[in-house]
Amino acid sequence: MERRSFSVSLPKNPLITMKVIPGHFTTSHSHLNYYLDLSDLKTNAKMAMDVARELVVPYITTTLLDAIVCIEGTEVIGAFMAEELIKEGTSIINSNREIHVVTPLNNINRKLMFQGNIQELIYNKNVLLLVPSISTGATISSILECMSYYGGKLAGVSALFHAHPEKLDQEVHALFTYEDIPGYEIYNPRDCVLCKDGLKLDAIIIHDGYTKI
Ligand SMILES: [Zn+2]
């Protein structure tokens, strides 16, 4: 399946590119016909810097922030976002503020949690949530629930990929959407067209990576 992979670039900035692998994938909630490899966006410093510059645009002049909560390996991007946000400049609302870049833990029930010393950086603070990808919205609801449990004030949600922005009440500022990937489909496992065609699953997507079956 990797041999059939192709690249998708951000129209605004073609240097930002992700690898898309066609196949038959499962998450805990759904089946998908594409796996999006976001690892270069998250770990390649030059690319992560460009991604951060795009992602801060909706907030830089308007949104006061105290913390960026980075989910599933997005902390390099989060750190570059903080750097952009605290730059000096007359129209930059967070100039010289303290912005903390934090990462939650996954507890045994796959719920997110913050350790004691981190909780005070969230409670009653303006928090930006940074997630790699949003497909059905189930994961984002669980993250938002966690944020509200720890008393964080949600100032915004950013994502590298958001499958269907129109299907979610929560506003998300995403780099890529399904419109960038022709033919991208998410299926309820019960109605999956690939399963109905007798195609075996290729891999299971866990924590934004995949394991072949
Ligand atoms: Zn299927």
Side-chain angles (χ1 to χ4, degrees):
M1 58 185 187
E2 285 90 348
R3 274 182 284 131
R4 292 185 287 136
S5 71
F6 57 94
S7 293
V8 171
S9 300
L10 194 69
K12 278 202 285 184
N13 181 350
L15 291 175
I16 299 176
T17 300
M18 67 174 165
K19 189 162 88 172
V20 179
I21 302 174
H24 185 192
F25 301 94
T26 180
T27 68
S28 51
H29 320 288
S30 48
H31 286 191
L32 305 158
N33 63 344
Y34 287 117
Y35 169 74
L36 311 178
D37 186 351
L38 303 170
S39 47
D40 216 27
L41 274 65
K42 294 193 284 190
T43 61
N44 175 338
K46 176 73 186 83
M47 183 132 26
M49 204 183 290
D50 278 11
V51 167
R53 284 187 188 136
E54 293 295 334
L55 289 180
V56 296
V57 171
Y59 311 104
I60 203 149
T61 59
T62 54
T63 312
L64 217 51
L65 290 170
D66 300 301
I68 302 175
V69 171
C70 302
I71 309 289
E72 290 181 0
T74 55
E75 53 270 21
V76 177
I77 297 171
F80 284 130
M81 287 177 79
E83 184 183 35
E84 289 294 312
L85 290 161
I86 60 179
K87 268 185 186 169
E88 284 191 37
T90 46
S91 59
I92 299 182
I93 193 169
N94 294 289
S95 284
N96 298 316
R97 276 175 73 82
E98 285 189 5
I99 295 182
H100 291 92
V101 180
V102 300
T103 309
L105 301 174
N106 267 304
N107 75 8
I108 46 171
N109 299 317
R110 290 209 59 213
K111 291 274 185 203
L112 301 176
M113 55 179 281
F114 294 98
Q115 284 178 314
N117 54 331
I118 301 296
Q119 289 174 16
E120 66 189 58
L121 305 176
I122 304 295
Y123 179 74
N124 220 11
K125 304 288 189 192
N126 301 302
V127 176
L128 170 68
L129 198 57
L130 176 59
V131 294
S133 72
I134 299 172
S135 51
T136 58
T139 309
I140 195 82
S141 324
S142 128
I143 297 169
L144 292 176
E145 192 186 302
C146 159
M147 294 294 304
S148 112
Y149 175 81
Y150 286 102
K153 294 190 283 186
L154 189 70
V157 181
S158 289
L160 303 181
F161 175 76
H162 188 187
H164 288 286
E166 73 286 359
K167 289 188 184 168
L168 210 64
D169 293 336
Q170 174 63 49
E171 185 185 22
V172 176
H173 298 287
L175 273 188
F176 293 98
T177 71
Y178 74 101
E179 289 177 338
D180 298 299
I181 307 165
Y184 179 90
E185 294 288 350
I186 302 171
Y187 304 105
N188 182 317
R190 285 192 305 272
D191 312 318
C192 175
V193 170
L194 304 171
C195 286
K196 284 182 179 158
D197 284 348
L199 289 169
K200 291 226 175 321
L201 284 164
D202 292 308
I204 179 163
I205 299 174
I206 303 169
H207 288 280
D208 213 34
Y210 70 81
T211 304
K212 286 186 187 170
I213 296 174

